[in-house]
Amino acid sequence: MITIALFGALAVTAVVAGALVFRVDSMARATFLLLLSFLAVAGLVLMTGLHYLGLVIVLMMIIEMVVMAVFMIMYMMNPAGLMPMSMFHNTRGSAVVAATTFVALAGGALLVDWPVRGGRPAPDLTMALGESLMGGQMLTMMTLGVTLFATIVGTVVLATGRGRYDRLGDELDAPESDDRDRGGVGR
Amino acid sequence: MSTALPLGGAALLPGLLLAVTWAAVAADAVAAGRAAGRPVSWTVALGLPGREAVRLLVGQRRRTAAGDELLRGIGGAALLVAALMAAAVLPLGLRPVADLGPGLVWFNAMEVVAWAAVWLVGWGANSTVSLIGGYRFVAQGLAYELPHMFALITAAVGAQSLRVTDVVAAQQGLWFIVIMPVAFVAFLLSAAAMAFWGPFDAPVGRDVAGGAAAELSGVDRLVFSTGRWLLLVASSAMAVPLFLGGGHGPWLPAWAWVLVKTLAVLGVLIVLRHRVPTIRMERWTEFSWVVLVPATIAQALVVTLVVLGRGGI
């Protein structure tokens, strides 16, 4: 009974907070409503007994949404609230996509025969997850890691205004850089 | 195997944390007086937290024009609640209030709430200096969080468990500070940075008129600064089970060792605050990324090799 009530509360929070993201007139509120929605989903993951994964979702989502807040405000549509703000675009197309996805998923959940559980959960789910990631899924994770790393390096290279040739000269032989903000290790 | 305290421990925990916080505030006042050349006596200092709390409770709350009161309130409350929740996995003696399997992840997840909280408080006031303080904390957070995570991971690798009581049990013979000194130093620095304390107080710095806390007064300021102090106490208390052997030690009972060690760590942080000036953001950020992150990764590697060499996993 408590489990069902908790599930309902978390599910409703996730959906309502997610919908409110598009109703509020403030990028800060939109960001943190999205965070609330993610935290409710993390609560649902915790309810399935996956404690490690649930807590990692909490951890990563908070960090991610705080960083996201910086960018959402940097690019926000109503600087200082001077212009009306709308989070919508392509409303008709997205309504069709959303409705189709919902019908497909809900229909699938209701119509398909659910498989009977075979086997039992591992005694230590965190250990089982780690063994899977470091064993059978190692190739997937390595590919993912290298891809993400290459993306980060590529984005920084494309986005930076001053690279090492600007800082240290064409031959990289300047004794020290002419940075306006000197860092902490004296490069 | 769960070894949580009985439910009464949960009621006891906030009181214990507040008592340690009270002592830390008093010690900080004494240290500040000594640094300023106007010594404050211990009797005055011990009354200070209570007097300050009462003063703030009766003080008027300041409201700024077009501020986001909701977000500011959530930010202040979240700081306080997160500090208490983070402390739930602290072993008081040898047993914590909640002995969670992934206890270290829980602790870290609660700590990063401070990130969101300080930014929200800075944003909510609709004031420039507050906002600068909030953004400074986000930048500081990006710099401290990775070394902090690697320090936590190193302790977990050493104990081969994410459960805090297992980490304590693994230090029955040798404290982790001996085999992972770099991780300990990184943890201590990041604990101070997390509570925007000591040399890392730029988010509430005087150069921005109090930064994120600039527009706080009355009960808002009381909640915010209590949350900040509790966060400092909780994160320095966490250094004890992670690196300083937890409740293990001769003669005294476990709870007394935890208390003594926690107060010692807090003492170090208080001395640090009054000895070292505020570090500028760009200096700390670069130092953290260029020195601390590689150093903590190397530390984790060394500890992993030691564990494997001993035939772990």
Side-chain angles (χ1 to χ4, degrees), chain A residues 148-164, chain B residues 289:
Chain A
L148 282 175
F149 187 64
T151 312
I152 293 170
V153 171
T155 315
V156 171
V157 166
L158 289 177
T160 185
R162 269 168 65 81
R164 55 186 173 148
Chain B
W289 280 97

Side-chain angles (χ1 to χ4, degrees), chain B residues 82-106:
Chain B
L84 286 175
M85 303 247 279
V89 291
L90 280 177
L92 314 166
L94 293 174
R95 298 193 301 168
V97 169
D99 193 22
L100 304 178
L104 287 179
V105 188
W106 166 269

